[in-house]
Amino acid sequence: MAYIRKIQISNFRSYKNNENVLKDIKNLNMFTGKNNSGKTNILRAINLFFNPKEYDPKLDMNMIKQLTGGGTKHPKIKLEIHDENITINNKNVFNIELDLNFKVNANDKFSYKVTQKHHEEKLNSSKKIEAYLNKTFKCVYLSTTDEGIAEQAYSVVNDMILQYYKKKNNNIKKSIEEFETNYENLLGAFKDNIEDLEAELTKQFYIFKNNDIDITPRLKIGNEKEISDFLLENIKLELDDSYSQVLKAKGAGVQRTSLILLSLFLMKELYSTKNKIILLDEPEAFLYPLLILELKDTIENAALETNNSQIFMTSHSREFLSEINNHKYAFFNIEQEYEKKKYERSINDEDINKFSVIKEFDSSTKFTVLKNYGLLDNIDDHDKIIICEGKTDKNYLVKILEGKPFRPQIRYGKYTDYIKEDSEESSVEEADSHSNYFTKGTESIIPILLYLDRVSNVNRDIFILVDGDKAGKDAKKKIISRHYSNLNIDIKILPNNKQIEDVVFEKEEFISKVLKILKLDNNNERSFREAINKVKDNESVIKKTQQFIEMFDLEINIGEVKRDLSNNLNENNIKKDWIIEDLNKFFKF
């Protein structure tokens, strides 16, 4: 089978040079990025490679190339293809480039070429390469922006329905083939006699000539009208939900999903021997979440159940983006960059060069995407995780890690995922049977670890932070006493009797912040300062604060104080040295 391994795009729409490369392409490929960053243009570029006759210079040429009139201003799109049936230089891998600058003949609008030196007769001319691509691949592009969904349904599906008829019924196949032959003969006859008809028409237009207006009628016979347009003119795709209506009469979500489902079905039925290239622009568009999940499963099955389907998608959907650490997907992030420059060939004093850039999906990019979509601390397949005891701990860790290229996912009791810690009296299997069990603090750590170790086979680096009290020490013993198949664990326990507030604040800073929260009178304020200043090295300022609140019967609890302390932090009032080197070393920032 043949499949795409790499894509290189030059001078196409928002992509300006040959540095735009997609590597390590898989069966499922996802493009992320902000609106108008250039995601859809990648789908358009792939589609143009397989359908170069659709090239429109006004839309498809890179804008800065249009302004400057550069020498190679038209697009070039290169695909690295693996095909076990083609051998070039003793390898089954070769590059085919679509060049819309170079023309073999004057009437050509494009040319294909294999960029390596070779002696493969099947690929030694643009026409033969075009024939090879048509025979080996089937590409379908389902857009949300270029044209209406109903029009796409007509143009994309009609030809496949025609082929489906031909495959399933021999009488229909023979009838269609006869029609195709007669249709070609009819077009040929028209072309052979068109000049005679034009001459007769010219006589009818004499009034223009008599008034010195140079207008002559010309008849043009185009090949744009496909056979399927004639044969299927009276076959309409309708959807029946109590009463049957044409596709465009239904809601946008139903239209969109129906088109995707029908295309996947026909591609599977008709092109079993071809590599199917399916380009989906925001497949979740117009759908509600449960339907997105169902459609996502269908798309994944279509791509993964065979080795001859490659799906390329753009998406803003949380359902799709939650697969960011799934090894079955290849993720690529697209960003837009700007540059002001004076070009010699441009008529402008200065041009703004705006262009798309394909970014490597490293830990930093992954962090940015997950953060922008609110998914960082929610997805189950994250591979770098910090587990702490509560929300206040998380707030401090987020502030400490500001400025790092990425932040690990942070979990605490909120994320126990309903797995109960197994006690001495119950087995792990029995513990898993418990539901709706919610834990907090150190009690949540074992359930979180159990869940992460079993929910998937992702190899994870997990850094655990616990207080220096008895509960923290007991938790550490339980953690290290277990075996985890997929977890690499490092545990940091705070100094004896200390909680996180003891180590993130200098004592004076702690006093100042707590006083703003407690709003004490002068006498009580003085008492609080004295109490905290007397705290010894092996004691806790947060514990002493709790005792003070209880002693003076204040209308606030220690949980509220801890919450307010951890909010509205700034970089100058917290300490990092107690943990930052440990995090740097473990996560390799």
Side-chain angles (χ1 to χ4, degrees):
M1 299 302 295
Y3 57 89
I4 302 170
R5 298 207 326 176
K6 186 188 297 183
I7 300 171
Q8 185 172 316
I9 305 168
S10 306
N11 304 337
F12 178 78
R13 295 205 178 203
S14 58
Y15 293 89
K16 69 170 187 173
N17 55 41
N18 58 11
E19 296 174 2
N20 300 295
V21 180
L22 298 169
K23 301 178 182 178
D24 302 321
I25 290 170
K26 297 184 178 181
N27 288 56
L28 279 165
N29 303 279
M30 179 68 69
F31 303 109
T32 64
K34 296 179 180 179
N35 290 336
N36 202 41
S37 60
K39 302 185 299 298
T40 301
N41 284 344
I42 292 183
L43 303 185
R44 291 172 175 140
I46 300 170
N47 183 57
L48 181 62
F49 179 89
F50 290 102
N51 300 283
K53 293 175 183 176
E54 296 180 9
Y55 178 54
D56 184 347
K58 292 181 180 179
L59 293 175
D60 295 334
M61 191 190 304
N62 177 259
M63 179 58 68
I64 205 66
K65 289 291 184 178
Q66 291 188 44
L67 290 172
T68 61
T72 54
K73 59 185 179 181
H74 297 284
K76 290 183 179 181
I77 302 165
K78 184 193 295 184
L79 266 58
E80 182 179 278
I81 295 172
H82 178 278
D83 188 341
E84 58 193 22
N85 296 316
I86 301 286
T87 302
I88 294 179
N89 300 330
N90 297 319
K91 295 181 179 180
N92 298 118
V93 179
F94 53 94
N95 295 309
I96 294 178
E97 182 179 76
L98 169 67
D99 189 348
L100 289 146
N101 298 277
F102 179 74
K103 302 174 183 180
V104 178
N105 301 305
N107 294 326
D108 290 342
K109 294 182 179 179
F110 64 90
S111 71
Y112 289 108
K113 65 178 178 181
V114 173
T115 57
Q116 301 104 310
K117 290 183 178 179
H118 68 97
H119 302 286
E120 178 60 58
E121 188 176 344
K122 295 179 183 177
L123 304 174
N124 63 7
S125 73
S126 180
K127 291 293 184 185
K128 288 184 178 180
I129 294 172
E130 185 178 2
Y132 162 78
L133 293 173
N134 289 334
K135 180 181 178 182
T136 309
F137 294 91
K138 177 62 179 178
C139 178
V140 169
Y141 173 39
L142 302 180
S143 166
T144 55
T145 56
D146 289 343
E147 55 182 312
I149 294 174
E151 285 73 19
Q152 284 190 56
Y154 186 80
S155 61
V156 171
V157 173
N158 268 8
D159 183 58
M160 289 198 288
I161 290 177
L162 178 65
Q163 299 303 322
Y164 185 74
Y165 272 134
K166 289 170 68 174
K167 181 178 180 180
K168 295 295 183 180
N169 189 297
N170 196 49
N171 289 333
I172 291 177
K173 180 176 182 291
K174 289 180 179 179
S175 298
I176 290 174
E177 288 174 350
E178 289 177 8
F179 184 93
E180 289 173 333
T181 300
N182 292 332
Y183 176 62
E184 290 176 5
N185 291 338
L186 180 62
L187 283 180
F190 272 121
K191 290 176 181 177
D192 291 341
N193 295 280
I194 197 167
E195 291 182 1
D196 294 337
L197 184 53
E198 283 180 343
E200 294 298 320
L201 280 174
T202 300
K203 295 176 183 179
Q204 186 67 27
F205 278 61
Y206 71 94
I207 62 172
F208 289 112
K209 293 290 186 182
N210 290 347
N211 289 277
D212 297 323
I213 299 174
D214 190 13
I215 291 181
T216 301
R218 291 281 181 257
L219 294 174
K220 182 179 179 181
I221 299 177
N223 295 321
E224 292 82 5
K225 196 72 171 177
E226 300 290 344
I227 293 288
S228 58
D229 294 331
F230 286 106
L231 297 181
L232 299 173
E233 189 68 37
N234 294 312
I235 300 177
K236 304 293 184 184
L237 173 64
E238 293 191 351
L239 300 177
D240 191 348
D241 55 353
S242 297
Y243 53 92
S244 184
Q245 289 179 301
V246 293
L247 187 65
K248 65 181 180 182
K250 301 301 182 184
V254 171
Q255 290 186 40
R256 179 83 173 136
T257 306
S258 299
L259 178 56
I260 293 173
L261 296 176
L262 187 56
S263 298
L264 292 176
F265 167 75
L266 291 171
M267 292 280 275
K268 178 182 177 181
E269 288 290 320
L270 297 174
Y271 302 105
S272 58
T273 61
K274 291 188 178 185
N275 191 52
K276 295 171 277 293
I277 309 299
I278 304 169
L279 312 173
L280 300 177
D281 195 9
E282 296 183 23
E284 75 277 6
F286 318 118
L287 300 183
Y288 69 97
L290 288 179
L291 193 53
I292 294 175
L293 285 171
E294 294 284 350
L295 179 61
K296 173 176 168 287
D297 289 343
T298 302
I299 290 171
E300 288 178 350
N301 290 337
L304 300 175
E305 66 184 7
T306 63
N307 289 323
N308 65 342
S309 291
Q310 290 181 287
I311 296 179
F312 299 82
M313 296 179 284
T314 69
S315 181
H316 292 287
S317 163
R318 293 166 64 92
E319 288 78 10
F320 280 103
L321 295 181
S322 64
E323 302 294 341
I324 208 164
N325 286 307
N326 187 337
H327 69 279
K328 295 177 182 178
Y329 282 77
F331 272 80
F332 306 91
N333 195 57
I334 314 302
E335 297 180 8
Q336 187 117 115
E337 296 186 357
Y338 300 83
E339 173 184 75
K340 288 186 177 180
K341 193 172 181 181
K342 169 61 181 172
Y343 292 92
E344 291 183 7
R345 298 186 183 183
S346 174
I347 61 173
N348 303 319
D349 293 333
E350 187 177 59
D351 289 301
I352 297 176
N353 191 352
K354 186 170 64 172
F355 51 93
S356 298
V357 177
I358 301 169
K359 293 288 187 179
E360 179 186 355
F361 223 87
D362 55 15
S363 296
S364 177
T365 305
K366 188 186 302 181
F367 161 70
T368 302
V369 172
L370 291 174
K371 179 173 175 288
N372 288 345
Y373 286 94
L375 290 168
L376 180 59
D377 295 318
N378 298 93
I379 65 169
D380 286 333
D381 287 333
H382 209 291
D383 56 344
K384 293 178 174 58
I385 300 172
I386 298 174
I387 301 177
C388 57
E389 295 190 22
K391 178 67 182 293
T392 57
D393 293 5
K394 176 183 176 180
N395 291 346
Y396 292 117
L397 290 167
V398 169
K399 176 56 66 173
I400 287 169
L401 290 169
E402 273 188 353
K404 294 297 178 184
F406 66 89
R407 172 170 78 72
Q409 183 182 86
I410 301 178
R411 290 191 175 222
Y412 55 95
K414 174 182 175 182
Y415 305 100
T416 52
D417 300 291
Y418 307 112
I419 293 184
K420 183 178 180 179
E421 176 190 352
D422 50 304
S423 64
E424 294 179 2
E425 291 78 22
S426 61
S427 67
V428 173
E429 288 74 17
E430 289 171 334
D432 287 345
S433 69
H434 291 275
S435 62
N436 298 323
Y437 186 83
F438 188 84
T439 57
K440 61 182 181 179
T442 54
E443 294 179 4
S444 68
I445 294 175
I446 295 293
I448 293 173
L449 290 173
L450 290 174
Y451 178 78
L452 293 175
D453 195 38
R454 300 171 193 176
V455 69
S456 66
N457 291 322
V458 175
N459 292 318
R460 309 175 196 265
D461 293 324
I462 298 183
F463 187 97
I464 300 172
L465 176 67
V466 293
D467 292 341
D469 55 10
K470 183 178 183 304
K473 294 172 184 176
D474 289 345
K476 182 176 180 179
K477 290 178 183 178
K478 288 183 180 180
I479 292 166
I480 62 178
S481 68
R482 292 180 175 275
H483 170 73
Y484 306 96
S485 301
N486 304 301
L487 310 182
N488 171 36
I489 296 174
D490 188 18
I491 305 172
K492 182 175 182 63
I493 187 165
L494 294 179
N496 195 37
N497 295 322
K498 299 293 184 181
Q499 298 182 37
I500 196 165
E501 291 82 5
D502 292 288
V503 292
V504 295
F505 295 116
E506 297 287 356
K507 190 176 286 186
E508 205 42 55
E509 180 68 25
F510 177 82
I511 293 171
S512 175
K513 289 181 73 70
V514 173
L515 286 175
K516 290 178 183 178
I517 297 169
L518 298 180
K519 298 178 181 178
L520 303 173
D521 59 33
N522 290 338
N523 288 332
N524 285 342
E525 180 178 322
R526 201 162 35 248
S527 298
F528 180 74
R529 284 183 180 276
E530 290 175 358
I532 298 302
N533 281 322
K534 289 180 180 179
V535 171
K536 299 177 182 178
D537 289 344
N538 64 342
E539 296 178 327
S540 167
V541 293
I542 200 69
K543 276 290 185 184
K544 183 64 70 174
T545 302
Q546 183 177 5
Q547 294 168 5
F548 183 89
I549 290 171
E550 293 169 353
M551 181 184 301
F552 287 87
D553 197 21
L554 302 180
E555 294 182 357
I556 191 171
N557 61 54
I558 194 63
E560 292 173 300
V561 173
K562 289 167 69 73
R563 181 199 63 201
D564 290 347
L565 278 171
S566 70
N567 289 330
N568 303 314
L569 296 168
N570 64 62
E571 203 163 346
N572 296 327
N573 63 18
I574 64 169
K575 297 192 296 182
K576 302 180 180 181
D577 55 349
W578 60 276
I579 194 172
I580 195 67
E581 286 305 316
D582 294 328
L583 294 173
N584 284 340
K585 182 178 179 181
F586 186 70
F587 291 113
K588 299 179 176 61
F589 287 120

